[in-house]
Amino acid sequence: MKAVNILLLCSTISRITPTVLSSDLRATIGTYPDYDGDLVVSGDVEITFDEYAMSFLFNGKGLEAGCGPGCGVHIHTGTTCSDADLVGGHYWAPAGTEDPWMNDVTYYDSNSSGNAIGQFSIENGYLMEGNVGHAVVVHDSEGVRVGCGILG
């Protein structure tokens, strides 16, 4: 009887599939929904997490040429890039604390061709899992939303 129990246990364990957990999220950036300007924004975002701290890497093309301070890239509350009304505002916790996305760290500088590569570190109050599926929004120098992608 004991041999049967051991065999059954081994059979059950062998059917368990290991899950590989990643500490990275990525988003492919495209044109923001309902954006009707002249920019054709594209690019990607890669975020690496260490608990609540995230290292945010942005690579963009088709951006406003020579865009300096004021051109931002942020995670938003929405979980879609297909409806501008549902993208929402900056995403952070806890409510009532200062918005971490409103600082010089979360801005990018583009060159004369409208290309930008930037990296910054930030904490928005959420672990990696809390950021999955949220929209990443790219802003021009006037704060206009020109690009969007979903973290996954």
Side-chain angles (χ1 to χ4, degrees), residues 74-77 88-92 99-102 107 139 145:
H74 316 109
I75 299 175
H76 281 237
T77 58
H90 295 166
Y91 182 58
W92 83 95
D99 181 352
W101 299 105
M102 295 299 294
Y107 295 103
H139 301 266
R145 298 173 180 197

Side-chain angles (χ1 to χ4, degrees), residues 4 19 28 37 50 56 60 73 79 81 84-85 87 92 97 103 112-113:
V4 173
T19 302
T28 300
D50 181 7
F56 200 106
V73 55
T79 56
C81 284
D85 293 333
V87 176
W92 83 95
T97 61
N103 64 57
S112 61
S113 299

Side-chain angles (χ1 to χ4, degrees), residues 33-101:
D34 299 337
Y35 172 71
D36 62 0
D38 296 331
L39 301 176
V40 181
V41 176
S42 65
D44 55 75
V45 167
E46 181 176 338
I47 304 173
T48 303
F49 288 82
D50 181 7
E51 295 285 326
Y52 293 95
M54 61 176 91
S55 177
F56 200 106
L57 178 63
F58 171 64
N59 180 4
K61 295 181 176 150
L63 302 161
E64 181 180 351
C67 195
C71 300
V73 55
H74 316 109
I75 299 175
H76 281 237
T77 58
T79 56
T80 183
C81 284
S82 60
D83 185 338
D85 293 333
L86 300 177
V87 176
H90 295 166
Y91 182 58
W92 83 95
T97 61
E98 187 175 334
D99 181 352
W101 299 105

Side-chain angles (χ1 to χ4, degrees), residues 22-29 43-50 53-60 73-75 101 116-122 128 131 134 136-138 149-152:
S22 173
S23 61
D24 295 348
L25 292 178
R26 292 176 176 76
T28 300
I29 304 297
D44 55 75
V45 167
E46 181 176 338
I47 304 173
T48 303
F49 288 82
D50 181 7
M54 61 176 91
S55 177
F56 200 106
L57 178 63
F58 171 64
N59 180 4
V73 55
H74 316 109
I75 299 175
W101 299 105
I117 296 176
Q119 182 174 0
F120 58 86
S121 296
I122 191 170
M128 182 187 72
N131 288 281
H134 282 271
V136 175
V137 175
V138 180
I150 301 298
L151 290 170

Side-chain angles (χ1 to χ4, degrees), residues 101-149:
W101 299 105
M102 295 299 294
N103 64 57
D104 293 340
V105 152
T106 64
Y107 295 103
Y108 65 87
D109 294 321
S110 62
N111 64 20
S112 61
S113 299
N115 299 322
I117 296 176
Q119 182 174 0
F120 58 86
S121 296
I122 191 170
E123 290 187 21
N124 70 348
Y126 293 99
L127 297 169
M128 182 187 72
E129 295 79 11
N131 288 281
V132 172
H134 282 271
V136 175
V137 175
V138 180
H139 301 266
D140 71 7
S141 62
E142 300 295 318
V144 174
R145 298 173 180 197
V146 297
C148 191

